[in-house]
Amino acid sequence: MEKMVEKMQEAATYLIGEHDFKSFCANKRMKKSTVRTIYDIQFEETEDKLVLHFYGNGFLYQMVRILTGTLIEVGEGKRKASEMEEILRGESREAAGFTAPSRGLFLREVYYEDWKGGGER
């Protein structure tokens, strides 16, 4: 699994930063901006599973699941890590990988900056 994760980590580096993630959105009729910022993607290996942590300023409909499916395809050797740039530029859902199942997906934490003007979390 080590080599698989290395490939996925390499691919993830292309996703860090502000990008138009339209290719990673399942809503084809999205009227709002599909530009988002991913601050970090972390990989946590245990004996029997791989956990991915996504940190960003917002996520589109099924974005994390599509990102995960695409990263898995890179890890399996079905895609090259460098294809992430092409997928982002393509702005087409068909360019990205499969949608990973929702089981195991959960939202851990949400931070709101300066809500109610207090800046407290």
Side-chain angles (χ1 to χ4, degrees):
M1 180 163 30
E2 189 175 316
K3 192 72 169 164
M4 179 181 182
V5 175
E6 284 177 23
K7 291 177 185 178
M8 293 171 73
Q9 287 173 322
E10 181 186 347
T13 63
Y14 292 95
L15 301 169
I16 304 301
E18 183 179 85
H19 302 286
D20 187 332
F21 285 95
K22 187 173 186 172
S23 294
F24 296 95
C25 179
N27 183 354
K28 293 183 180 188
R29 294 185 183 94
M30 186 76 169
K31 292 182 176 143
K32 295 181 182 180
S33 173
T34 50
V35 174
R36 298 290 187 274
T37 302
I38 291 185
Y39 303 123
D40 198 12
I41 301 172
Q42 296 178 359
F43 298 80
E44 179 185 340
E45 289 183 76
T46 64
E47 286 182 27
D48 61 342
K49 64 184 170 190
L50 175 63
V51 179
L52 279 67
H53 300 270
F54 291 85
Y55 301 90
N57 68 351
F59 299 96
L60 303 167
Y61 181 64
Q62 294 188 347
M63 179 176 162
V64 171
R65 293 173 58 196
I66 298 166
L67 287 168
T68 300
T70 308
L71 290 171
I72 289 169
E73 288 180 1
V74 170
E76 292 176 336
K78 295 176 181 175
R79 294 177 179 268
K80 293 181 181 173
S82 60
E83 284 183 51
M84 291 298 173
E85 285 183 313
E86 213 175 291
I87 295 168
L88 287 166
R89 277 195 309 269
E91 296 183 11
S92 167
R93 172 64 190 95
E94 289 72 29
F98 76 98
T99 304
S102 61
R103 65 183 176 272
L105 174 70
F106 67 93
L107 177 65
R108 180 187 287 177
E109 223 167 349
V110 177
Y111 294 104
Y112 293 98
E113 292 182 27
D114 295 325
W115 87 287
K116 292 189 178 181
E120 296 178 27
R121 292 183 180 177

